[in-house]
């Protein structure tokens, strides 16, 4: 509980949960991550409840501990712990962290249990308390998706399914599902949307996956598995990429899409990323899958620093974005982003498109992707690019291009009311 309180406070102060968990003692990391995810999905309501029960904000260390305990006591279908356990552990944690506040913590939590229904109802009268997202985020979603915004917000608080990508060079999805069943892991084939995708009934460690170490399977969300086929396969009047085609993966880390491209076709692949450390992860992925690509640490916008002047047959631009489509996998994202971030990210995306377009051959294709549900980072961005470039034509591919929302009716379901896919945007552009 202390580690979780520290993690939640760090996120409130603008630190990534991934970075915080990396500093957590290894034996406490899995439990801290699970509890932090739970709390961050309920943070709006828990903060509103704390403000009701203790209107004078306590010191940060006590406030974060109280907020964590309130989130763990929040009425949900399957509470992680019993009420008595949460209160007992919160008071014990307070005695270690701020001994003078232990009685205060005890009193607040016991009052919450007595008045829980009324406190929760009051907290949920505020949009942030009801949907557990910042008000500016809720308003932007409401403007972009007037009919779906509430469903998207609720979907963001679901537990995402674990999806796998079977390496097409080693086997197919139906055969792999049978291998999983033989080891006691229940799974199913996703189907036409992503034919190599397998969805697990419940998450397991990668070490439990048969053939993982040998590169036979990778962990990748089903929506992310749409990128590589868009780049290499035939669509409408576009033929498939020829063997040996020169391809750029412009923002490659952590390398899932890079590897998928090489699984689908024999390519001369150049992978870029601004962070050398993140490229190490890409190389590890490629090594496990026994694939090869040329990796370079560079800002894709600075073509003079990395481009040799040879035009590319295809480009995958998986651009930096708000990550608003993958909030259920990264519940800290909504609390880390600020309203001004979207315009700043959209400006970077536009700069990347402008810098990379001249490196593409006439007749070549560029796939623009973001894991965002905000139109400023998706359709609006592409529409503006098309206005600026008369030599660019969009190719519409049913089920692939456009905004993909993380909703159960926007593709196959992982279970009752849970979408298989994260929120993504894809555009396929051809150079005339």
């Amino acid at each position: 509980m202390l580690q979780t309180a520290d993690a939640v406070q760090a996120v409130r102060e603008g630190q990534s949960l991934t970075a915080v968990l990396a500093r957590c003692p290894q034996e406490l990391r899995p439990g801290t991550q699970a509890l932090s995810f739970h709390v961050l999905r309920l943070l709006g309501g828990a903060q509103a409840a704390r403000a009701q029960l203790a209107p004078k904000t306590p010191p940060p260390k006590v406030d974060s501990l109280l907020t964590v305990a309130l989130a763990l006591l929040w009425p949900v279908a399957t509470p992680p712990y019993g009420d008595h356990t949460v209160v007992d552990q919160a008071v014990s944690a307070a005695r270690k962290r701020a001994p003078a506040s232990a009685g205060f913590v005890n009193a607040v939590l016991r009052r919450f249990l007595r008045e829980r229904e009324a406190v929760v109802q009051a907290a949920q009268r505020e949009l942030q308390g009801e949907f557990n997202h910042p008000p500016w985020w809720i308003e932007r979603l409401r403007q972009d998706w007037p009919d779906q915004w509430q469903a998207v917000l609720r979907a963001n608080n679901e537990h995402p399914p674990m999806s796998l990508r079977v390496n097409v060079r080693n086997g197919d999805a139906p055969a792999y599902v049978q291998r999983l069943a033989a080891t006691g892991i229940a799974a199913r084939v996703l189907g036409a949307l992503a034919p190599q995708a397998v969805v697990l009934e419940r998450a397991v460690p990668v070490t439990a996956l048969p053939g993982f170490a040998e590169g036979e399977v990778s962990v990748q969300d089903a929506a992310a598995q749409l990128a590589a086929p868009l780049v290499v396969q035939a669509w409408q009047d576009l033929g498939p990429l020829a063997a040996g085609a020169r391809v750029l993966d412009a923002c490659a880390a952590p390398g899932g899409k890079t590897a998928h491209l090489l699984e689908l076709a024999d390519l001369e692949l150049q992978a870029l990323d601004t962070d050398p450390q993140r490229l190490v992860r890409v190389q590890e992925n490629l090594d496990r899958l026994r694939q090869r690509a040329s990796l370079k640490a560079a800002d894709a916008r600075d073509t003079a620093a990395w481009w040799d002047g040879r035009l590319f047959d295809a480009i995958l631009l998986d651009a930096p974005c708000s990550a608003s489509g993958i909030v259920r996998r990264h519940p800290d994202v909504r609390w880390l982003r600020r309203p001004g971030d979207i315009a700043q990210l959209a400006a970077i995306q536009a700069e990347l498109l402008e810098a990379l377009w001249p490196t593409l051959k006439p007749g070549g294709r560029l796939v623009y992707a973001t894991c965002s549900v905000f139109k400023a980072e998706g359709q609006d961005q592409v529409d503006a690019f098309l206005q600026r470039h008369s030599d660019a034509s969009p190719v519409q591919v049913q089920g692939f291009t456009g905004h993909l929302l993380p909703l159960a009716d926007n593709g196959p379901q992982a279970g009752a009311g849970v979408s298989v896919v994260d929120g993504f945007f894809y555009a396929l552009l051809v150079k005339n």
Side-chain angles (χ1 to χ4, degrees):
M1 186 172 273
L2 284 170
Q3 291 289 338
T4 302
D6 289 345
V8 170
Q9 185 58 28
V11 169
R12 283 165 148 182
E13 293 169 356
Q15 297 182 52
S16 154
L17 182 61
T18 303
V20 175
L21 290 173
R23 302 194 295 267
C24 181
Q26 191 167 356
E27 69 276 11
L28 299 178
R29 199 173 299 160
T32 301
Q33 176 174 308
L35 288 183
S36 296
F37 274 37
H38 182 90
V39 172
L40 291 167
R41 289 183 177 123
L42 295 167
L43 187 60
Q47 288 182 149
R50 200 281 301 151
Q52 284 182 63
L53 297 167
K56 185 178 178 182
T57 304
K61 288 183 177 180
V62 177
D63 185 26
S64 59
L65 186 59
L66 261 181
T67 303
V68 163
L70 288 166
L72 295 176
L73 293 169
W74 207 258
V76 294
T78 52
Y81 298 100
D83 293 348
H84 173 78
T85 301
V86 174
V87 174
D88 176 70
Q89 292 298 296
V91 172
S92 297
R95 289 196 185 106
K96 291 184 178 182
R97 181 58 52 84
S101 298
F104 168 72
V105 168
N106 185 53
V108 169
L109 297 181
R110 292 192 178 280
R111 182 185 162 198
F112 177 70
L113 292 178
R114 289 195 305 272
E115 304 173 17
R116 179 157 43 190
E117 185 176 351
V119 172
V120 168
Q121 286 180 357
Q124 292 180 338
R125 282 196 283 270
E126 304 172 18
L127 282 175
Q128 179 165 316
E130 181 180 1
F131 292 107
N132 292 294
H133 287 69
W136 70 267
W137 185 301
I138 296 171
E139 183 54 33
R140 181 175 278 272
L141 260 186
R142 182 154 54 180
Q143 288 177 10
D144 281 353
W145 304 103
D147 296 328
Q148 298 103 333
W149 65 277
Q150 292 177 313
V152 171
L153 290 167
R154 291 193 176 99
N156 286 348
N157 291 321
E158 298 288 345
H159 290 258
M162 184 173 179
S163 299
L164 310 177
R165 184 189 76 243
V166 179
N167 188 340
V168 71
R169 294 180 183 261
N170 293 95
D172 59 31
Y176 193 75
V177 166
Q178 291 182 350
R179 286 181 66 188
L180 288 172
T183 64
I185 299 173
R188 63 184 178 84
V189 176
L190 181 57
L193 179 75
Q196 296 302 117
V198 168
V199 183
L200 302 188
E201 191 171 288
R202 58 178 56 87
V204 300
V206 293
T207 51
L209 298 173
F212 180 83
E214 294 75 29
E216 296 176 23
V217 69
S218 299
V219 178
Q220 188 180 42
D221 180 75
Q225 294 185 40
L226 305 184
L230 264 181
V231 174
V232 305
Q233 291 179 3
W235 303 106
Q236 295 184 21
D237 295 334
L238 277 178
L241 284 186
R246 184 167 157 77
V247 176
L248 172 67
D249 187 354
C251 303
K257 298 181 185 70
T258 317
H260 195 192
L261 285 166
L262 293 167
E263 289 172 10
L264 293 179
D266 296 319
L267 306 170
E268 181 189 340
L269 184 61
Q270 172 72 66
L272 301 179
D273 203 85
T274 54
D275 187 345
Q277 287 303 115
R278 282 167 59 82
L279 279 177
V280 172
R281 176 91 179 274
V282 177
Q283 188 61 59
E284 289 171 352
N285 262 322
L286 294 177
D287 290 345
R288 183 177 61 83
L289 294 159
R290 296 170 177 77
Q291 300 285 6
R292 294 180 63 184
S294 174
L295 308 187
K296 191 173 183 65
D299 186 332
R301 293 172 293 181
D302 184 12
T303 52
W306 61 266
W307 186 40
D308 61 7
R310 295 164 58 212
L311 294 171
F312 292 100
D313 297 291
I315 296 172
L316 172 59
L317 172 54
D318 186 14
C321 72
S322 63
S324 56
I326 55 173
V327 174
R328 57 184 186 168
R329 296 187 190 280
H330 301 278
D332 56 328
V333 164
R334 72 192 93 176
W335 308 115
L336 293 173
R337 292 280 177 254
R338 299 293 177 262
D341 292 350
I342 309 305
Q344 291 177 8
L345 287 161
I348 292 170
Q349 293 153 11
E351 290 168 5
L352 283 162
L353 282 165
E354 291 299 319
L356 294 177
W357 191 247
T359 72
L360 185 65
K361 282 181 182 176
R365 65 191 77 180
L366 183 149
V367 171
Y368 171 77
T370 60
C371 53
S372 175
V373 295
F374 295 145
K375 289 188 177 180
E377 301 181 283
Q379 195 61 58
D380 292 352
Q381 182 71 259
V382 170
D383 288 346
F385 179 80
L386 292 170
Q387 288 288 323
R388 297 193 301 269
H389 292 271
S390 59
D391 62 342
S393 297
V395 177
Q396 305 301 333
V397 182
Q398 182 67 32
F400 282 75
T401 56
H403 280 280
L404 192 63
L405 299 179
L407 300 179
D409 60 357
N410 200 31
Q413 295 186 23
V418 179
S419 171
V420 168
V421 298
D422 288 340
F424 261 79
F425 174 82
Y426 287 107
L428 175 57
L429 306 175
V430 177
K431 193 169 197 177
N432 302 330

